[in-house]
Amino acid sequence: MKEVQATRINKYLSEVGYCSRRAADKLIDQGRVTINGKVPEMGTKIVPDDEVRVDGKLISEPKEDFVYLAFNKPVGIVCTTDTRVEKDNIIEYINYPKRIFPIGRLDKPSEGLIFLTNDGDIVNKILRARNHHEKEYIVKVDNIITDDFVHQMSNGIPILDTITRKCKVEKLSKYEFKIILTQGLNRQIRRMTEYLGYNVVTLKRVRIMNISLDMPVGTYREFTKEELTEINKLVETSTKTIRDD
């Protein structure tokens, strides 16, 4: 007799493109997910015949192709899929005809590149701590950038009970610098600059991995086939999920 394949509920919601595993865990914790009419515990597994609902709505396997978008997020837009809590959210702003969700996040006062998709598998592969995927930012601060500032930012700053990973920092002008991170601690750049007595005036993400910001603010475009192929190569050995900066 063939064994029925069981899947953890958070993985299922991710694989069908409903949301990321992290977001699924939150939905489960909030009691918004049901399996066959009952609220499951974290880690519960389902089989193909099980009925899964979120907020009472039936979740089914996707029948359409996956969507991969690069979006230039404006300042003031929040990277959340919970449209009930935050009115200035990224999902309602884009108003895409299919259900999509952001890969990682970008702070409300920040702008620039962020990915959105309905492919839960690639979300979990991209948001990995050990892959050291590059994210590039252009940052303007309120004090004159010194050689010492560049040196300290490059070699690690003590924040959030850790030392930031070494990174590339380049002074662009009196008050502006470029930084390339390979980790995604919460509000990392802002915390790093504040530790050195600086405040961020503007922060723009201009590149994630192999994709650069090349569209006007508030607009999006689909990944090219070449970009998607390259991303899939880069995430082949992904491991642990993290929160993006």
mmCIF file of all heavy atoms in Angstrom, residues 73-110:
data_model
loop_
_atom_site.group_PDB
_atom_site.id
_atom_site.type_symbol
_atom_site.label_atom_id
_atom_site.label_comp_id
_atom_site.label_asym_id
_atom_site.label_seq_id
_atom_site.Cartn_x
_atom_site.Cartn_y
_atom_site.Cartn_z
ATOM 1 N N LYS A 73 9.793 50.335 -4.252
ATOM 2 C CA LYS A 73 8.899 50.753 -3.170
ATOM 3 C C LYS A 73 9.096 52.220 -2.785
ATOM 4 O O LYS A 73 10.210 52.644 -2.505
ATOM 5 C CB LYS A 73 9.145 49.889 -1.926
ATOM 6 C CG LYS A 73 8.146 50.169 -0.792
ATOM 7 C CD LYS A 73 8.559 49.515 0.516
ATOM 8 C CE LYS A 73 9.498 50.370 1.347
ATOM 9 N NZ LYS A 73 8.853 51.593 1.894
ATOM 10 N N PRO A 74 8.016 52.995 -2.732
ATOM 11 C CA PRO A 74 8.136 54.380 -2.272
ATOM 12 C C PRO A 74 8.261 54.454 -0.749
ATOM 13 O O PRO A 74 7.889 53.518 -0.039
ATOM 14 C CB PRO A 74 6.806 55.019 -2.715
ATOM 15 C CG PRO A 74 6.131 54.016 -3.604
ATOM 16 C CD PRO A 74 6.671 52.685 -3.208
ATOM 17 N N VAL A 75 8.767 55.557 -0.251
ATOM 18 C CA VAL A 75 8.769 55.833 1.184
ATOM 19 C C VAL A 75 7.320 55.854 1.666
ATOM 20 O O VAL A 75 6.434 56.366 0.982
ATOM 21 C CB VAL A 75 9.449 57.188 1.479
ATOM 22 C CG1 VAL A 75 9.228 57.598 2.925
ATOM 23 C CG2 VAL A 75 10.930 57.122 1.161
ATOM 24 N N GLY A 76 7.064 55.273 2.834
ATOM 25 C CA GLY A 76 5.724 55.322 3.416
ATOM 26 C C GLY A 76 4.893 54.076 3.199
ATOM 27 O O GLY A 76 3.858 53.900 3.837
ATOM 28 N N ILE A 77 5.345 53.205 2.307
ATOM 29 C CA ILE A 77 4.628 51.956 2.053
ATOM 30 C C ILE A 77 5.203 50.859 2.941
ATOM 31 O O ILE A 77 6.418 50.712 3.051
ATOM 32 C CB ILE A 77 4.721 51.559 0.563
ATOM 33 C CG1 ILE A 77 4.074 52.645 -0.314
ATOM 34 C CG2 ILE A 77 4.069 50.205 0.320
ATOM 35 C CD1 ILE A 77 2.613 52.905 -0.010
ATOM 36 N N VAL A 78 4.321 50.078 3.568
ATOM 37 C CA VAL A 78 4.732 49.042 4.510
ATOM 38 C C VAL A 78 4.719 47.682 3.824
ATOM 39 O O VAL A 78 3.787 47.340 3.105
ATOM 40 C CB VAL A 78 3.793 49.016 5.735
ATOM 41 C CG1 VAL A 78 4.211 47.924 6.714
ATOM 42 C CG2 VAL A 78 3.804 50.372 6.423
ATOM 43 N N CYS A 79 5.768 46.905 4.061
ATOM 44 C CA CYS A 79 5.908 45.581 3.433
ATOM 45 C C CYS A 79 5.177 44.523 4.254
ATOM 46 O O CYS A 79 5.791 43.712 4.943
ATOM 47 C CB CYS A 79 7.382 45.218 3.262
ATOM 48 S SG CYS A 79 8.244 46.314 2.141
ATOM 49 N N THR A 80 3.858 44.545 4.187
ATOM 50 C CA THR A 80 3.054 43.549 4.880
ATOM 51 C C THR A 80 1.946 43.076 3.956
ATOM 52 O O THR A 80 1.523 43.793 3.044
ATOM 53 C CB THR A 80 2.435 44.127 6.167
ATOM 54 O OG1 THR A 80 1.648 43.123 6.803
ATOM 55 C CG2 THR A 80 1.521 45.301 5.859
ATOM 56 N N THR A 81 1.493 41.849 4.191
ATOM 57 C CA THR A 81 0.366 41.330 3.418
ATOM 58 C C THR A 81 -0.933 41.434 4.216
ATOM 59 O O THR A 81 -2.001 41.115 3.705
ATOM 60 C CB THR A 81 0.588 39.850 3.052
ATOM 61 O OG1 THR A 81 0.834 39.103 4.252
ATOM 62 C CG2 THR A 81 1.791 39.704 2.125
ATOM 63 N N ASP A 82 -0.839 41.876 5.481
ATOM 64 C CA ASP A 82 -2.027 41.987 6.322
ATOM 65 C C ASP A 82 -2.713 43.326 6.062
ATOM 66 O O ASP A 82 -2.448 44.327 6.725
ATOM 67 C CB ASP A 82 -1.656 41.850 7.800
ATOM 68 C CG ASP A 82 -2.873 41.560 8.672
ATOM 69 O OD1 ASP A 82 -3.997 41.831 8.201
ATOM 70 O OD2 ASP A 82 -2.702 41.057 9.791
ATOM 71 N N THR A 83 -3.604 43.330 5.077
ATOM 72 C CA THR A 83 -4.256 44.570 4.660
ATOM 73 C C THR A 83 -5.261 45.074 5.699
ATOM 74 O O THR A 83 -5.695 46.222 5.637
ATOM 75 C CB THR A 83 -4.980 44.367 3.313
ATOM 76 O OG1 THR A 83 -5.926 43.283 3.446
ATOM 77 C CG2 THR A 83 -3.989 44.016 2.219
ATOM 78 N N ARG A 84 -5.603 44.243 6.673
ATOM 79 C CA ARG A 84 -6.557 44.666 7.697
ATOM 80 C C ARG A 84 -5.902 45.587 8.716
ATOM 81 O O ARG A 84 -6.564 46.412 9.330
ATOM 82 C CB ARG A 84 -7.123 43.446 8.424
ATOM 83 C CG ARG A 84 -7.793 42.420 7.523
ATOM 84 C CD ARG A 84 -8.269 41.224 8.321
ATOM 85 N NE ARG A 84 -7.207 40.678 9.153
ATOM 86 C CZ ARG A 84 -7.410 39.772 10.099
ATOM 87 N NH1 ARG A 84 -8.635 39.338 10.340
ATOM 88 N NH2 ARG A 84 -6.397 39.308 10.818
ATOM 89 N N VAL A 85 -4.600 45.445 8.898
ATOM 90 C CA VAL A 85 -3.882 46.194 9.931
ATOM 91 C C VAL A 85 -3.274 47.485 9.394
ATOM 92 O O VAL A 85 -3.326 48.534 10.032
ATOM 93 C CB VAL A 85 -2.769 45.311 10.548
ATOM 94 C CG1 VAL A 85 -1.913 46.114 11.513
ATOM 95 C CG2 VAL A 85 -3.389 44.112 11.249
ATOM 96 N N GLU A 86 -2.687 47.429 8.211
ATOM 97 C CA GLU A 86 -1.932 48.565 7.672
ATOM 98 C C GLU A 86 -2.526 49.018 6.344
ATOM 99 O O GLU A 86 -2.518 48.293 5.359
ATOM 100 C CB GLU A 86 -0.464 48.148 7.477
ATOM 101 C CG GLU A 86 0.436 49.236 6.952
ATOM 102 C CD GLU A 86 0.470 50.470 7.827
ATOM 103 O OE1 GLU A 86 0.948 50.386 8.959
ATOM 104 O OE2 GLU A 86 0.012 51.534 7.347
ATOM 105 N N LYS A 87 -3.046 50.254 6.323
ATOM 106 C CA LYS A 87 -3.693 50.739 5.094
ATOM 107 C C LYS A 87 -2.682 51.069 4.000
ATOM 108 O O LYS A 87 -2.969 50.921 2.815
ATOM 109 C CB LYS A 87 -4.560 51.960 5.399
ATOM 110 C CG LYS A 87 -3.795 53.186 5.883
ATOM 111 C CD LYS A 87 -4.736 54.370 6.081
ATOM 112 C CE LYS A 87 -3.963 55.627 6.501
ATOM 113 N NZ LYS A 87 -4.833 56.800 6.650
ATOM 114 N N ASP A 88 -1.485 51.530 4.395
ATOM 115 C CA ASP A 88 -0.464 51.873 3.395
ATOM 116 C C ASP A 88 0.426 50.664 3.127
ATOM 117 O O ASP A 88 1.645 50.721 3.250
ATOM 118 C CB ASP A 88 0.380 53.054 3.886
ATOM 119 C CG ASP A 88 -0.430 54.330 4.017
ATOM 120 O OD1 ASP A 88 -1.302 54.554 3.165
ATOM 121 O OD2 ASP A 88 -0.202 55.073 4.977
ATOM 122 N N ASN A 89 -0.197 49.530 2.760
ATOM 123 C CA ASN A 89 0.568 48.307 2.574
ATOM 124 C C ASN A 89 0.914 48.072 1.110
ATOM 125 O O ASN A 89 0.248 48.562 0.194
ATOM 126 C CB ASN A 89 -0.189 47.103 3.147
ATOM 127 C CG ASN A 89 -1.467 46.824 2.394
ATOM 128 O OD1 ASN A 89 -1.452 46.201 1.341
ATOM 129 N ND2 ASN A 89 -2.589 47.311 2.910
ATOM 130 N N ILE A 90 1.956 47.291 0.917
ATOM 131 C CA ILE A 90 2.523 47.071 -0.404
ATOM 132 C C ILE A 90 1.554 46.335 -1.342
ATOM 133 O O ILE A 90 1.535 46.591 -2.547
ATOM 134 C CB ILE A 90 3.860 46.303 -0.278
ATOM 135 C CG1 ILE A 90 4.654 46.336 -1.583
ATOM 136 C CG2 ILE A 90 3.634 44.888 0.211
ATOM 137 C CD1 ILE A 90 6.084 45.825 -1.419
ATOM 138 N N ILE A 91 0.731 45.453 -0.801
ATOM 139 C CA ILE A 91 -0.186 44.661 -1.622
ATOM 140 C C ILE A 91 -1.269 45.532 -2.242
ATOM 141 O O ILE A 91 -1.543 45.456 -3.451
ATOM 142 C CB ILE A 91 -0.810 43.519 -0.790
ATOM 143 C CG1 ILE A 91 0.281 42.614 -0.220
ATOM 144 C CG2 ILE A 91 -1.789 42.721 -1.642
ATOM 145 C CD1 ILE A 91 1.218 42.018 -1.256
ATOM 146 N N GLU A 92 -1.889 46.368 -1.438
ATOM 147 C CA GLU A 92 -2.936 47.244 -1.971
ATOM 148 C C GLU A 92 -2.354 48.329 -2.864
ATOM 149 O O GLU A 92 -3.003 48.778 -3.809
ATOM 150 C CB GLU A 92 -3.745 47.851 -0.816
ATOM 151 C CG GLU A 92 -4.605 46.819 -0.106
ATOM 152 C CD GLU A 92 -5.497 47.434 0.955
ATOM 153 O OE1 GLU A 92 -5.269 48.613 1.318
ATOM 154 O OE2 GLU A 92 -6.404 46.738 1.437
ATOM 155 N N TYR A 93 -1.125 48.767 -2.577
ATOM 156 C CA TYR A 93 -0.487 49.789 -3.415
ATOM 157 C C TYR A 93 -0.265 49.264 -4.826
ATOM 158 O O TYR A 93 -0.594 49.934 -5.812
ATOM 159 C CB TYR A 93 0.851 50.229 -2.798
ATOM 160 C CG TYR A 93 1.516 51.350 -3.574
ATOM 161 C CD1 TYR A 93 1.292 52.686 -3.234
ATOM 162 C CD2 TYR A 93 2.369 51.083 -4.653
ATOM 163 C CE1 TYR A 93 1.880 53.719 -3.950
ATOM 164 C CE2 TYR A 93 2.958 52.099 -5.372
ATOM 165 C CZ TYR A 93 2.709 53.414 -5.022
ATOM 166 O OH TYR A 93 3.296 54.429 -5.742
ATOM 167 N N ILE A 94 0.288 48.061 -4.933
ATOM 168 C CA ILE A 94 0.556 47.492 -6.257
ATOM 169 C C ILE A 94 -0.739 47.062 -6.939
ATOM 170 O O ILE A 94 -0.895 47.223 -8.151
ATOM 171 C CB ILE A 94 1.525 46.291 -6.133
ATOM 172 C CG1 ILE A 94 2.901 46.786 -5.687
ATOM 173 C CG2 ILE A 94 1.630 45.534 -7.451
ATOM 174 C CD1 ILE A 94 3.918 45.681 -5.499
ATOM 175 N N ASN A 95 -1.672 46.495 -6.146
ATOM 176 C CA ASN A 95 -2.969 46.061 -6.668
ATOM 177 C C ASN A 95 -2.814 45.087 -7.836
ATOM 178 O O ASN A 95 -3.473 45.212 -8.874
ATOM 179 C CB ASN A 95 -3.811 47.274 -7.092
ATOM 180 C CG ASN A 95 -5.274 46.916 -7.283
ATOM 181 O OD1 ASN A 95 -5.777 45.989 -6.660
ATOM 182 N ND2 ASN A 95 -5.949 47.633 -8.161
ATOM 183 N N TYR A 96 -1.937 44.115 -7.652
ATOM 184 C CA TYR A 96 -1.698 43.124 -8.709
ATOM 185 C C TYR A 96 -2.888 42.163 -8.780
ATOM 186 O O TYR A 96 -3.479 41.837 -7.748
ATOM 187 C CB TYR A 96 -0.402 42.353 -8.408
ATOM 188 C CG TYR A 96 0.154 41.604 -9.587
ATOM 189 C CD1 TYR A 96 0.822 42.288 -10.614
ATOM 190 C CD2 TYR A 96 -0.011 40.227 -9.697
ATOM 191 C CE1 TYR A 96 1.324 41.606 -11.702
ATOM 192 C CE2 TYR A 96 0.490 39.539 -10.790
ATOM 193 C CZ TYR A 96 1.157 40.233 -11.795
ATOM 194 O OH TYR A 96 1.640 39.553 -12.886
ATOM 195 N N PRO A 97 -3.278 41.715 -9.978
ATOM 196 C CA PRO A 97 -4.470 40.856 -10.114
ATOM 197 C C PRO A 97 -4.370 39.477 -9.483
ATOM 198 O O PRO A 97 -5.391 38.814 -9.297
ATOM 199 C CB PRO A 97 -4.647 40.751 -11.638
ATOM 200 C CG PRO A 97 -3.319 41.089 -12.224
ATOM 201 C CD PRO A 97 -2.709 42.084 -11.285
ATOM 202 N N LYS A 98 -3.160 39.013 -9.164
ATOM 203 C CA LYS A 98 -2.989 37.727 -8.500
ATOM 204 C C LYS A 98 -2.481 37.947 -7.078
ATOM 205 O O LYS A 98 -1.890 38.980 -6.776
ATOM 206 C CB LYS A 98 -1.969 36.857 -9.253
ATOM 207 C CG LYS A 98 -2.382 36.483 -10.667
ATOM 208 C CD LYS A 98 -1.309 35.624 -11.319
ATOM 209 C CE LYS A 98 -1.673 35.280 -12.751
ATOM 210 N NZ LYS A 98 -0.623 34.455 -13.406
ATOM 211 N N ARG A 99 -2.709 36.960 -6.207
ATOM 212 C CA ARG A 99 -2.185 37.037 -4.842
ATOM 213 C C ARG A 99 -0.658 36.943 -4.887
ATOM 214 O O ARG A 99 -0.102 35.988 -5.419
ATOM 215 C CB ARG A 99 -2.730 35.892 -3.981
ATOM 216 C CG ARG A 99 -2.087 35.828 -2.606
ATOM 217 C CD ARG A 99 -2.584 34.644 -1.828
ATOM 218 N NE ARG A 99 -3.952 34.851 -1.389
ATOM 219 C CZ ARG A 99 -4.296 35.553 -0.310
ATOM 220 N NH1 ARG A 99 -3.348 36.132 0.434
ATOM 221 N NH2 ARG A 99 -5.547 35.706 0.035
ATOM 222 N N ILE A 100 0.022 37.935 -4.338
ATOM 223 C CA ILE A 100 1.485 37.940 -4.255
ATOM 224 C C ILE A 100 1.885 38.404 -2.864
ATOM 225 O O ILE A 100 1.067 38.954 -2.130
ATOM 226 C CB ILE A 100 2.130 38.862 -5.320
ATOM 227 C CG1 ILE A 100 1.565 40.288 -5.223
ATOM 228 C CG2 ILE A 100 1.948 38.300 -6.718
ATOM 229 C CD1 ILE A 100 2.244 41.298 -6.141
ATOM 230 N N PHE A 101 3.142 38.175 -2.509
ATOM 231 C CA PHE A 101 3.634 38.649 -1.224
ATOM 232 C C PHE A 101 5.105 39.014 -1.368
ATOM 233 O O PHE A 101 5.806 38.495 -2.232
ATOM 234 C CB PHE A 101 3.426 37.623 -0.108
ATOM 235 C CG PHE A 101 3.776 36.211 -0.472
ATOM 236 C CD1 PHE A 101 5.048 35.719 -0.292
ATOM 237 C CD2 PHE A 101 2.810 35.370 -1.003
ATOM 238 C CE1 PHE A 101 5.367 34.421 -0.626
ATOM 239 C CE2 PHE A 101 3.116 34.053 -1.337
ATOM 240 C CZ PHE A 101 4.410 33.585 -1.156
ATOM 241 N N PRO A 102 5.588 39.952 -0.529
ATOM 242 C CA PRO A 102 6.975 40.411 -0.648
ATOM 243 C C PRO A 102 7.970 39.379 -0.142
ATOM 244 O O PRO A 102 7.677 38.608 0.769
ATOM 245 C CB PRO A 102 7.009 41.674 0.218
ATOM 246 C CG PRO A 102 5.895 41.483 1.206
ATOM 247 C CD PRO A 102 4.836 40.699 0.505
ATOM 248 N N ILE A 103 9.147 39.367 -0.749
ATOM 249 C CA ILE A 103 10.248 38.538 -0.278
ATOM 250 C C ILE A 103 11.103 39.405 0.630
ATOM 251 O O ILE A 103 11.791 40.307 0.173
ATOM 252 C CB ILE A 103 11.088 37.992 -1.447
ATOM 253 C CG1 ILE A 103 10.210 37.188 -2.409
ATOM 254 C CG2 ILE A 103 12.238 37.129 -0.920
ATOM 255 C CD1 ILE A 103 10.962 36.625 -3.609
ATOM 256 N N GLY A 104 11.044 39.145 1.929
ATOM 257 C CA GLY A 104 11.754 40.001 2.877
ATOM 258 C C GLY A 104 10.975 41.279 3.106
ATOM 259 O O GLY A 104 9.757 41.328 2.947
ATOM 260 N N ARG A 105 11.705 42.316 3.477
ATOM 261 C CA ARG A 105 11.024 43.573 3.776
ATOM 262 C C ARG A 105 11.960 44.748 3.535
ATOM 263 O O ARG A 105 13.172 44.578 3.377
ATOM 264 C CB ARG A 105 10.519 43.596 5.223
ATOM 265 C CG ARG A 105 11.641 43.578 6.261
ATOM 266 C CD ARG A 105 11.103 43.416 7.661
ATOM 267 N NE ARG A 105 10.233 44.506 8.034
ATOM 268 C CZ ARG A 105 10.641 45.686 8.475
ATOM 269 N NH1 ARG A 105 11.937 45.929 8.600
ATOM 270 N NH2 ARG A 105 9.792 46.613 8.814
ATOM 271 N N LEU A 106 11.362 45.928 3.524
ATOM 272 C CA LEU A 106 12.102 47.181 3.441
ATOM 273 C C LEU A 106 11.347 48.145 4.336
ATOM 274 O O LEU A 106 10.124 48.305 4.198
ATOM 275 C CB LEU A 106 12.136 47.672 1.985
ATOM 276 C CG LEU A 106 13.143 48.749 1.592
ATOM 277 C CD1 LEU A 106 14.574 48.321 1.905
ATOM 278 C CD2 LEU A 106 13.022 49.077 0.106
ATOM 279 N N ASP A 107 12.043 48.783 5.269
ATOM 280 C CA ASP A 107 11.389 49.629 6.265
ATOM 281 C C ASP A 107 10.490 50.692 5.629
ATOM 282 O O ASP A 107 10.758 51.166 4.532
ATOM 283 C CB ASP A 107 12.440 50.332 7.132
ATOM 284 C CG ASP A 107 13.180 49.364 8.050
ATOM 285 O OD1 ASP A 107 12.594 48.319 8.379
ATOM 286 O OD2 ASP A 107 14.328 49.648 8.405
ATOM 287 N N LYS A 108 9.455 51.100 6.373
ATOM 288 C CA LYS A 108 8.509 52.103 5.892
ATOM 289 C C LYS A 108 9.190 53.394 5.438
ATOM 290 O O LYS A 108 8.848 53.935 4.382
ATOM 291 C CB LYS A 108 7.468 52.401 6.986
ATOM 292 C CG LYS A 108 6.358 53.337 6.558
ATOM 293 C CD LYS A 108 5.306 53.458 7.655
ATOM 294 C CE LYS A 108 4.149 54.361 7.209
ATOM 295 N NZ LYS A 108 3.087 54.443 8.236
ATOM 296 N N PRO A 109 10.187 53.928 6.180
ATOM 297 C CA PRO A 109 10.835 55.161 5.731
ATOM 298 C C PRO A 109 11.889 54.966 4.642
ATOM 299 O O PRO A 109 12.507 55.929 4.202
ATOM 300 C CB PRO A 109 11.475 55.712 7.008
ATOM 301 C CG PRO A 109 11.660 54.538 7.893
ATOM 302 C CD PRO A 109 10.603 53.559 7.550
ATOM 303 N N SER A 110 12.113 53.711 4.227
ATOM 304 C CA SER A 110 13.096 53.431 3.180
ATOM 305 C C SER A 110 12.403 53.250 1.842
ATOM 306 O O SER A 110 11.201 53.000 1.767
ATOM 307 C CB SER A 110 13.896 52.169 3.513
ATOM 308 O OG SER A 110 14.527 52.286 4.770
#
